[in-house]
Amino acid sequence: MAYLWWFFVGLFGMHHFYLGRTGRGLLHLCTLGICGLGWLADAFTLPHQVRSANARIAQQDVAPRADAPALNDPVH
């Protein structure tokens, strides 16, 4: 999905917002993809950016929630 965002509205940084990179998204939004050079560079770095975002999401899914009881806590 990020590839479609990049291709169609990448100059506005929408793919960065989709990947959770708000700072880069704002930079691209304000500079039209850093005058197109950032958009072009993203063509080569987007696979790595997607892998990083997926790993970050997977890490959040694995981490225990703060309100969840620990495994060795007795259940009442």
Side-chain angles (χ1 to χ4, degrees):
M1 189 69 183
Y3 297 97
L4 291 174
W5 281 107
W6 168 80
F7 187 76
F8 290 109
V9 287
L11 286 176
F12 303 107
M14 296 302 134
H15 58 295
H16 288 294
F17 290 111
Y18 177 75
L19 295 172
R21 306 184 85 157
T22 308
R24 277 194 181 185
L26 288 172
L27 176 67
H28 278 245
L29 183 63
C30 294
T31 62
L32 283 178
I34 311 170
C35 298
L37 295 176
W39 180 82
L40 186 60
D42 283 343
F44 299 100
T45 62
L46 195 57
H48 174 69
Q49 293 177 41
V50 169
R51 280 192 303 272
S52 296
N54 287 337
R56 192 170 48 251
I57 291 168
Q59 184 76 8
Q60 290 172 353
D61 289 344
V62 172
R65 294 186 343 232
D67 62 343
L71 292 177
N72 57 358
D73 285 348
V75 178
H76 300 268

